[in-house]
Amino acid sequence: MSFKIDEQSTLEFEYKQLLGRGRTSEVHLAVCTENPDLKVAIKHNRSDHKHVDEWRQNVEREISVLRELNTAESADWSLETTLRNRITSADNSRDSRSIVQLLSIFDIDGVPALALEVAPPSITEQTLDHYDLVDAMFQIAQATELAHSRGMALTDIAPKSKASRIRWDHDLKQIKIIDWHLTRETEDYRRRDLVFLGRIFFQLLTGYPTWEKAEPPVDYLPDRYNAYALDITGATIDDWIDVEIAIRDVIERLMYQDISDAINSSETLVSAMTTLKELSDLAKRIINGSSQATNELETMLQEVSNSRTLQL
């Protein structure tokens, strides 16, 4: 059975598969009957109608947050254009926007529902090489700072239960963060975001899950990265170990709240990750045989060490 998701559009869609179910909502993949290339994720209250009142509150929150963050991430975002153009625009910008895009708001049996861009698989379900991981960490830091700069905390990104909110498109090398109804607006939640990000980064980088109260075993980090160091032709192992130490430093400063140089703001995290991404990009160029990158890496490592931007 086909249905419309925008009163101003003639496009009709059909459900294809269930993508996920939460406490108050379900998400289905829907495909346009006229053009199968047009796909959306429909987020609506649960089919068993549990927690409808809570869903109404959640969807109002998600609409408000996505309107603000979608506009902040791209001034071109708008619900005023045609549905077809919104879907096409979301598809064309998948490689440059980290916040899932809101495409339409409509009703199902008198209850609000959302049409969203289709998000890629969870980042925790994929295997990323070192360079992709650093790039993903950098993008996550930027998206977090975007939300924090507007007084919003991601809030619920606990590695055990909600890390799946962070998605990764392997082909486009782009993250996508979903479920923005969970946001809160207090400094305590923003600080907790950073701790949880440290734990998620740790799990992504080592393959070892973290837990909620005890400090994770950060000494496992060098074991994985020594393998990458040995594979880099044209770079000394010592240079790459410096990059490894920088990676571990960022994670330690996120997770440990009692150290003097803890990362206590998203702006500081973005600054640290910007430096780390530049180091990683230089190392990747070295693999491709760039002697200039080798010299640039040595210079940058010395500058970072002198400035203590990262504790090398």
Side-chain angles (χ1 to χ4, degrees):
M1 179 179 178
S2 61
F3 57 94
K4 291 184 178 182
I5 61 175
D6 188 324
E7 293 181 356
Q8 306 303 317
S9 173
T10 60
L11 296 179
E12 295 190 350
F13 291 78
E14 290 181 338
Y15 287 132
K16 289 299 181 181
Q17 69 181 89
L18 176 67
L19 298 177
R21 178 181 288 113
R23 169 181 164 81
T24 66
S25 65
E26 295 178 355
V27 180
H28 287 83
L29 174 66
V31 176
C32 180
T33 56
E34 174 187 322
N35 181 357
D37 290 334
L38 297 179
K39 301 176 182 179
V40 297
I42 303 297
K43 186 173 185 179
H44 57 84
N45 67 302
R46 288 174 56 114
S47 55
D48 58 13
H49 303 295
K50 290 184 177 180
H51 313 294
V52 174
D53 290 340
E54 185 178 349
W55 162 250
R56 290 181 185 275
Q57 295 176 357
N58 288 346
V59 73
E60 289 178 4
R61 175 64 177 167
E62 188 148 13
I63 290 170
S64 173
V65 171
L66 286 179
R67 282 182 183 275
E68 182 167 354
L69 293 183
N70 285 161
T71 302
E73 194 167 38
S74 174
D76 295 333
W77 178 87
S78 174
L79 287 179
E80 303 306 317
T81 60
T82 67
L83 176 62
R84 188 188 299 271
N85 286 346
R86 293 197 297 271
I87 297 174
T88 302
S89 175
D91 189 59
N92 291 339
S93 62
R94 285 186 301 130
D95 62 345
S96 61
R97 299 182 189 177
S98 299
I99 313 299
V100 68
Q101 293 184 58
L102 175 62
L103 302 174
S104 183
I105 306 164
F106 63 107
D107 281 0
I108 298 178
D109 297 329
V111 180
L114 306 179
L116 306 164
E117 74 170 300
V118 179
S122 169
I123 194 171
T124 57
E125 298 173 356
Q126 303 182 60
T127 300
L128 284 67
D129 66 23
H130 162 68
Y131 305 104
D132 285 351
L133 282 169
V134 171
D135 196 22
M137 290 167 62
F138 174 68
Q139 293 178 37
I140 293 168
Q142 287 186 311
T144 303
E145 197 279 329
L146 179 69
H148 285 195
S149 68
R150 284 154 178 78
M152 305 173 190
L154 279 67
T155 304
D156 196 347
I157 49 171
K160 281 187 175 181
S161 58
K162 293 293 185 179
S164 61
R165 289 181 62 195
I166 302 175
R167 307 301 185 92
W168 175 254
D169 189 314
H170 177 76
D171 294 332
L172 298 177
K173 313 300 183 186
Q174 177 66 40
I175 69 148
K176 195 73 65 174
I177 303 180
I178 64 172
D179 288 345
W180 287 93
H181 66 281
L182 295 167
T183 56
R184 297 293 182 271
E185 297 179 349
T186 67
E187 182 61 35
D188 287 345
Y189 278 112
R190 289 192 286 275
R191 173 58 192 144
R192 193 171 72 166
D193 278 355
L194 300 175
V195 177
F196 280 154
L197 286 181
R199 290 170 176 165
I200 290 172
F201 291 170
F202 179 87
Q203 181 174 344
L204 292 174
L205 289 161
T206 67
Y208 291 91
T210 61
W211 44 93
E212 299 303 317
K213 294 183 180 179
E215 294 175 344
V218 294
D219 287 344
Y220 289 165
L221 279 167
D223 296 338
R224 177 170 180 175
Y225 282 93
N226 283 341
Y228 287 107
L230 294 172
D231 287 340
I232 297 181
T233 56
T236 66
I237 293 177
D238 287 344
D239 282 344
W240 193 243
I241 288 176
D242 283 335
V243 180
E244 294 171 13
I245 293 172
I247 294 170
R248 182 167 67 174
D249 174 73
V250 169
I251 294 174
E252 288 176 336
R253 291 168 62 201
L254 282 168
M255 291 191 295
Y256 298 157
Q257 302 184 50
D258 58 346
I259 59 176
S260 59
D261 60 344
I263 294 177
N264 54 18
S265 73
S266 53
E267 292 91 340
T268 302
L269 175 59
V270 169
S271 177
M273 285 307 310
T274 298
T275 303
L276 183 51
K277 186 176 186 305
E278 290 174 356
L279 291 174
S280 176
D281 289 346
L282 284 172
K284 190 172 186 178
R285 287 171 55 197
I286 291 172
I287 288 182
N288 295 327
S290 172
S291 58
Q292 179 181 356
T294 302
N295 295 332
E296 291 177 15
L297 178 61
E298 292 177 356
T299 300
M300 187 173 183
L301 286 169
Q302 186 59 52
E303 291 175 351
V304 170
S305 179
N306 291 340
S307 69
R308 309 297 287 177
T309 300
L310 295 171
Q311 301 296 310
L312 299 173

